Amino acid sequence: MLAAVWGGVDSSVAAALVHKAIGDQLVSVFVDTGLLRKNEGTQVASAFRDHLHSELIVVDASDEYFSALKGVTEPEQKRKIVGEKFIRIFEAQAMHALAGQPKFLVQGTIYPDVVESSAPDRNKAEKIKTHHNVGGLPEDMQFELVEPLRYLFKDEVRAVGEALGLPESLVWRQPFPGPGLTVRCLGEVTRERVSRLRAADAILIEELSKEGLLRSSSSSTSLRSSSSSTAGRTESTTAGQSTSQAFVVLLPVRSVGVMGDQRTYQEAAAIRAVTTEDFMTADWARLPHDLLARVSSRIVNEVEGINRVVYDITSKPPATIEWE
């Protein structure tokens, strides 16, 4: 059996849960898409091998992804390309490294993915966006999917991870979408733009970490009795309260700026930070103004190609947490 590991909490907990059940019959594959956060590949591989003690195959597929995404700007098309590549890479690993034996593929699909993708078991739901691991999968894939977290929310997934004895650094990693920086790099996805986005995002995470604002409380998971009960609920925050998820989005927008006595015409970046219990609804985090000023100053001064930073103050709904 193969497990798909993408660096996020969900895929890691799903792999750990199945490994607990079947041991060495599980082989995990970590795909470096070239669309990961700064140092993420090294961190995930190290944490996985040190704490899960499971075989891990690392695949560098960055060239394939950037080639497939060249010239693509439409969000749903991006997600479907990522979903297609996702499966084809694992099929190739099954044929090459594992002699074509695995029949099952473990992945970390959780309930918000199912709802937003309007999966068949949620046929009354309107599709909001295709998640690469739900609606973005090719119909002719050779695997049967094993999704042990499919009907769990993010807080419940973390509770499972803690129950399995996984380290806090893994269980409480910042959530990261399966398509990676693809859906945070609005417009065409190129190596140059992803590198720019990655650098800006690392600055935000570094500054939030210094202030102790990266982790939301794991208590109070009983507020949700059903998915329908969250429809109108958002959670307010005060300045200095921890975030549930925070990241930078690179916008396909250029504006005039000035650096020294020189005119610039560069891209804009948006900071997105939210607080939530279950990721079905969310409120924007009231980050301290001096923190936002520091992050903005560092981004425009340290990241070449960005001369403007804005802050997203939209709740979910009406917006989603990710921009694409």
Side-chain angles (χ1 to χ4, degrees):
M1 184 179 292
L2 281 176
V5 179
W6 283 79
V9 178
D10 307 327
S11 64
S12 298
V13 171
L17 187 61
V18 174
H19 184 260
K20 184 81 171 178
I22 68 173
D24 292 341
Q25 295 179 69
L26 178 71
V27 176
S28 299
V29 178
F30 175 63
V31 178
D32 185 346
T33 62
L35 301 163
L36 302 175
R37 293 169 290 196
K38 186 177 180 179
N39 299 325
E40 185 144 42
T42 301
Q43 293 169 0
V44 170
S46 175
F48 205 83
R49 286 171 172 148
D50 292 346
H51 296 285
L52 299 187
H53 307 295
S54 173
E55 182 180 353
L56 182 71
I57 297 173
V58 179
V59 179
D60 182 355
S62 58
D63 288 343
E64 293 181 54
Y65 274 90
F66 281 111
S67 177
L69 290 165
K70 185 176 181 179
V72 179
T73 60
E74 205 281 316
E76 282 295 286
Q77 188 178 357
K78 286 182 183 180
R79 287 175 172 273
K80 289 178 180 178
I81 288 171
V82 171
E84 171 83 17
K85 286 291 176 187
F86 172 85
I87 289 298
R88 299 311 176 206
I89 287 170
F90 285 98
E91 288 175 347
Q93 285 302 311
M95 293 299 294
H96 177 67
L98 303 169
Q101 296 176 359
K103 181 180 179 181
F104 301 99
L105 176 66
V106 180
Q107 61 177 16
T109 304
I110 64 174
Y111 194 59
D113 301 341
V114 176
V115 172
E116 291 186 340
S117 297
S118 187
D121 47 347
R122 287 280 301 180
N123 56 14
K124 292 184 180 180
E126 180 72 18
K127 183 172 73 174
I128 298 170
K129 58 187 178 184
T130 299
H131 286 261
H132 79 288
N133 55 344
V134 185
L137 301 178
E139 294 182 0
D140 62 343
M141 64 180 180
Q142 300 173 18
F143 297 105
E144 291 184 36
L145 294 179
V146 175
E147 299 173 318
L149 311 177
R150 187 177 180 87
Y151 297 108
L152 299 186
F153 290 87
K154 182 72 72 175
D155 56 326
E156 296 169 325
V157 172
R158 287 196 165 114
V160 171
E162 290 177 333
L164 288 170
L166 298 180
E168 181 176 302
S169 60
L170 190 62
V171 173
W172 286 96
R173 288 182 65 82
Q174 278 281 296
F176 193 54
L181 297 180
T182 304
V183 294
R184 296 177 182 174
C185 185
L186 278 59
E188 184 177 9
V189 180
T190 66
R191 286 187 184 274
E192 179 184 11
R193 297 189 74 229
V194 167
S195 177
R196 186 175 298 150
L197 171 58
R198 184 182 292 118
D201 187 75
I203 289 171
L204 172 64
I205 298 305
E206 179 184 335
E207 292 295 339
L208 287 173
S209 181
K210 287 179 182 177
E211 298 293 330
L213 299 177
L214 274 183
R215 171 174 170 168
S216 63
S217 172
S218 61
S219 62
S220 186
T221 59
S222 62
L223 293 176
R224 177 195 4 85
S225 59
S226 69
S227 61
S228 61
S229 69
T230 67
R233 178 173 58 83
T234 58
E235 301 146 25
S236 62
T237 60
T238 58
Q241 188 170 3
S242 294
T243 60
S244 302
Q245 186 171 4
F247 53 90
V248 171
V249 179
L250 187 64
L251 309 179
V253 174
R254 292 181 180 271
S255 65
V256 174
V258 58
M259 292 290 287
D261 59 355
Q262 298 293 315
R263 177 187 187 273
T264 63
Y265 188 60
Q266 298 176 336
E267 291 186 296
I271 295 172
R272 180 67 159 152
V274 301
T275 179
T276 178
E277 289 289 341
D278 53 25
F279 291 83
M280 291 294 290
T281 63
D283 195 18
W284 61 278
R286 275 63 167 178
L287 296 179
H289 292 176
D290 59 342
L291 170 64
L292 291 171
R294 188 163 63 249
V295 171
S296 175
S297 178
R298 285 194 60 191
I299 289 175
V300 298
N301 282 285
E302 297 177 26
V303 182
E304 185 176 354
I306 297 176
N307 69 353
R308 191 175 299 267
V309 177
V310 299
Y311 190 42
D312 183 348
I313 58 170
T314 318
S315 63
K316 175 187 180 180
T320 54
I321 295 175
E322 299 289 346
W323 277 45
E324 288 191 341

